[in-house]
Amino acid sequence: MRKLVVLLFSLFVLSCSVDDGNERIYNVILPVEEAVVPTEFERGEVYDIYLKYLRPTSCYAYNDVYYVREGNERMVAVVNTVFEGDYECVDVNELLDASFSFKAGEEDSYVFKFWQGEDDNGDSQYLIIEVPVVD
């Protein structure tokens, strides 16, 4: 939870803001709705991991995958850039795809924590998938 708060604060501080009258551009973290991960990794091999996330309006644009490693754990979310102001934003609630490559290293397993938003108490919720590594 603390890492997510630090991330959100960092994005707020470092996000681009265009002050051209009524326009503003900034980054947001969006929850991962679904994740497709192999059932096992072979040490030293590279794998694509596929994500699905919900794009709420046409003013959201894919930016990157948020990825933090700590030991054998990986926390993952999707970053979008939001354009506000004089743009004609249309509600789309569109399920989109994103992906990233992962190389299995020396760990015996990897635990992926895909951020799925916060509950009513403000606690981060995760889809947790553990993947064993074979030789």
Side-chain angles (χ1 to χ4, degrees):
M1 175 66 184
R2 192 178 93 183
K3 287 181 192 174
L4 188 57
V5 170
V6 170
L7 166 75
L8 294 174
F9 178 75
S10 298
L11 283 175
F12 175 75
V13 170
L14 299 174
S15 67
C16 174
S17 179
V18 177
D19 189 12
D20 186 18
N22 204 15
E23 296 180 11
R24 193 174 101 135
I25 300 171
Y26 58 95
N27 291 326
V28 296
I29 300 295
L30 294 179
V32 173
E33 299 292 325
E34 298 176 30
V36 177
V37 182
T39 56
E40 68 180 21
F41 294 133
E42 188 173 321
R43 201 171 313 281
E45 295 297 317
V46 176
Y47 298 87
D48 289 328
I49 296 178
Y50 300 96
L51 311 172
K52 289 196 178 288
Y53 69 96
L54 194 62
R55 176 181 172 217
T57 75
S58 60
C59 287
Y60 282 65
Y62 175 79
N63 182 304
D64 202 359
V65 171
Y66 171 75
Y67 182 88
V68 172
R69 74 172 82 174
E70 186 174 300
N72 74 327
E73 291 186 356
R74 305 295 186 263
M75 189 166 66
V76 180
V78 176
V79 180
N80 268 217
T81 300
V82 181
F83 301 88
E84 285 185 348
D86 294 331
Y87 303 99
E88 291 187 31
C89 299
V90 177
D91 288 341
V92 291
N93 290 319
E94 181 178 28
L95 198 59
L96 296 178
D97 298 318
S99 67
F100 65 96
S101 295
F102 174 79
K103 182 176 182 179
E106 296 303 315
E107 302 290 345
D108 292 329
S109 70
Y110 289 93
V111 177
F112 290 90
K113 298 171 78 174
F114 299 99
W115 187 71
Q116 295 195 302
E118 295 179 343
D119 65 12
D120 293 338
N121 296 323
D123 296 324
S124 291
Q125 302 297 301
Y126 299 94
L127 168 62
I128 299 173
I129 301 175
E130 184 169 4
V131 182
V133 177
V134 298
D135 290 315

